[in-house]
Amino acid sequence: MKKPLGKPRSGLVAALDIGSSKVCCFVARIGEPSSNPLLARASGVPAGSIRVAGIGHQISRGVKNGQIVDIDALEASILNAVHAAEKMAGETLRGVIVNLSGGWPDSQTVGVEVSIAGHEVGETDLRRVLDQWRSLDGLDDRDLIHSIPVGFTIDGANGIRDPRGMYGQTLGAHMHVVTAGAGAVRTLSTVIERCHLDVEALVVSPYASGLSTLVDDEMDLGVTVIDMGGGTTSFAVFYDGNVLYTDAVPVGGHHVTNDIARGLSTPILAAERIKTLYGSALPSPLDDQETIDVPTIGEEDHSQPNHLAKSLLVGIVRPRIEETFELVRSRLEASGYDKVAGRRVVLTGGASQLPGVRELAQLVLDKQIRLGRPTRVQGLAEAAGGPAFATCAGLLAYAANPHLDATRMAPPPQPTGVAGRVGSWFREHF
């Protein structure tokens, strides 16, 4: 059996998920025994497995709709989350794998090709074609985040998964290239560096979520992962074992909270509590009979109760969730990957836990829906094993498998020269 390019990583790794609602840090050991008796079994960690040794999470401050708006506030949130994870794991971190939700990531497919002059394709040829992302024409305002091989060609013949051992004149690769705004990437890197940490890699959020929540059959047959966060809802299409497309819409759980606050004239904190306790995306026959206590903005006298029917709350929540899925559906159809993704959708992220979201997604998207949890990472406590932590767990899976991304198979280029012009390329092999 051929070995994948890139050596599987082992040892200590750290993941940092910076979102609009929370900042989360996971410290894990890959393929070696864990010394933390609270999280590890006596038998240790099997080779290649991921076991979490430390967890820290804080309310995110300084991020709005996926964009950094206050560096100092975000720095404090990151430091608190990282310190809690370090203390639990008994380790000091030097570098982290970080998710990227800002910078408006752009996802396209490009083709690269090299001559092999009729000889047998070897590992050197494979690395040579995968390194062609370095020669993409530069754009000053875009940074390359991912360059993921999704298929190979020999003399123009598509559908080749692994060309090693084959013969031909030209070797080509279909590369899924993701870029993001250079300013947003540099701002994020600056915040991490101010926390005395190195950025080992950046990963777009829906890609990471898919790595932690999807089973192999879903990745092969076609699936869409929808990560419903606080400030944005991002999604990725997987097919034939690879991620083919990623995108995001600027709507998330915080927009639902703001709608409740405005619609019911209640403070933001009260609106978040009401959403968590009573919110639903689908109406029920008893909603008109059930009442909820809603504090009024600026009201100091709480002796006068303000009771409202639950049906009012559902009438506020449902349209926003429905709009979110309609935007996702529209983006998928415009991309051309809607059919490639098949009829399977996996919902994850904190906002996906709202009652009725799964059923509403099924109505709007007309697909089979399930809720995704981070199943590929061991050692997670029940409180940290829900959909809200899927991205952070997926960052660990990405760290453990450097062969997933061509940008991590060779020494990295200079930080300011990673920009790439991404021309749209054909998708005939789909």
Side-chain angles (χ1 to χ4, degrees):
M1 182 179 290
K2 298 171 184 174
K3 296 180 180 178
L5 275 179
K7 211 173 178 184
R9 180 170 175 173
S10 63
L12 191 74
V13 296
L16 184 63
D17 174 13
I18 300 174
S20 301
S21 58
K22 73 176 186 313
V23 173
C24 177
C25 180
F26 283 179
V27 179
R29 294 182 177 89
I30 300 177
E32 64 179 29
S34 173
S35 60
N36 190 327
L38 296 177
L39 296 173
R41 296 175 182 173
S43 58
V45 180
S49 65
I50 305 169
R51 184 171 292 279
V52 174
I55 298 171
H57 57 91
Q58 294 284 323
I59 294 176
S60 178
R61 305 190 189 280
V63 180
K64 185 176 182 180
N65 296 342
Q67 309 295 325
I68 297 174
V69 296
D70 189 330
I71 288 181
D72 293 333
L74 180 57
E75 180 186 352
S77 295
I78 293 172
L79 285 172
N80 288 333
V82 170
H83 175 71
E86 287 179 328
K87 187 176 180 181
M88 185 176 181
E91 301 282 354
T92 299
L93 301 181
R94 293 181 176 84
V96 289
I97 307 284
V98 187
N99 75 310
L100 179 70
S101 54
W104 302 111
D106 181 55
S107 169
Q108 298 190 49
T109 305
V110 299
V112 292
E113 197 171 78
V114 296
S115 173
I116 53 176
H119 67 251
E120 180 183 353
V121 177
E123 300 232 355
T124 302
D125 302 303
L126 204 52
R127 288 184 180 275
R128 192 155 56 94
V129 72
L130 294 179
D131 272 347
Q132 290 302 303
W133 61 266
R134 300 184 188 278
S135 62
L136 294 173
D137 295 333
L139 278 181
D140 293 336
D141 61 344
R142 306 293 292 180
D143 275 2
L144 184 67
I145 306 302
H146 295 297
S147 180
I148 302 166
V150 297
F152 296 91
T153 66
I154 291 183
D155 296 340
N158 289 313
I160 299 173
R161 286 195 174 189
D162 190 342
R164 285 175 287 184
M166 300 182 182
Y167 293 83
Q169 296 298 319
T170 59
L171 172 64
H174 311 311
M175 307 294 290
H176 174 208
V177 178
V178 180
T179 62
V185 172
R186 290 166 190 162
T187 300
L188 177 61
S189 299
T190 299
V191 177
I192 304 299
E193 289 167 2
R194 285 176 56 166
C195 298
H196 309 290
L197 295 168
D198 295 326
V199 178
E200 295 182 3
L202 292 173
V203 186
V204 289
S205 298
Y207 181 26
S209 296
L211 291 177
S212 71
T213 60
L214 297 181
V215 298
D216 291 339
D217 282 347
E218 286 176 326
M219 286 190 178
D220 288 337
L221 298 175
V223 65
T224 303
V225 178
I226 302 179
D227 186 349
M228 304 182 69
T232 61
T233 296
S234 54
F235 55 96
V237 174
F238 288 77
Y239 177 74
D240 202 21
N242 299 297
V243 60
L244 304 181
Y245 180 75
T246 65
D247 203 349
V249 295
V251 184
H254 287 174
H255 295 80
V256 177
T257 303
N258 288 336
D259 288 348
I260 295 171
R262 291 168 62 90
L264 301 183
S265 297
T266 192
I268 294 290
L269 289 177
E272 181 67 30
R273 177 179 176 275
I274 291 170
K275 180 183 76 172
T276 304
L277 294 178
Y278 309 108
S280 177
L282 287 179
S284 75
L286 299 177
D287 285 346
D288 285 327
Q289 303 173 26
E290 186 177 348
T291 60
I292 55 177
D293 186 19
V294 181
T296 305
I297 293 179
E299 186 68 54
E300 297 181 0
D301 184 11
H302 298 290
S303 59
Q304 297 294 329
N306 181 30
H307 296 304
L308 297 176
K310 185 182 176 182
S311 57
L312 289 175
L313 176 63
V314 176
I316 294 171
V317 172
R318 180 187 171 110
R320 180 65 80 172
I321 301 295
E322 195 169 6
E323 177 200 24
T324 303
F325 290 129
E326 286 173 349
L327 288 171
V328 170
R329 183 185 63 190
S330 176
R331 294 284 183 91
L332 271 176
E333 291 173 350
S335 73
Y337 284 101
D338 183 45
K339 302 301 181 185
V340 176
R343 300 200 65 250
R344 188 75 173 166
V345 170
V346 174
L347 294 180
T348 190
S352 69
Q353 300 174 94
L354 193 69
V357 165
R358 175 179 172 179
E359 292 78 6
L360 186 58
Q362 197 161 353
L363 289 173
V364 175
L365 301 175
D366 190 27
K367 294 178 183 286
Q368 297 174 349
I369 313 290
R370 78 169 177 89
L371 198 61
R373 301 178 184 276
T375 57
R376 294 180 179 263
V377 175
Q378 304 173 26
L380 284 175
E382 185 176 351
F389 295 91
T391 297
C392 202
L395 295 175
L396 296 177
Y398 180 87
N401 297 280
H403 64 275
L404 293 174
D405 196 332
T407 59
R408 302 179 64 211
M409 293 183 189
Q414 295 299 319
T416 57
V418 192
R421 178 183 297 277
V422 185
S424 186
W425 204 61
F426 67 85
R427 302 183 178 106
E428 294 175 353
H429 56 296
F430 299 128

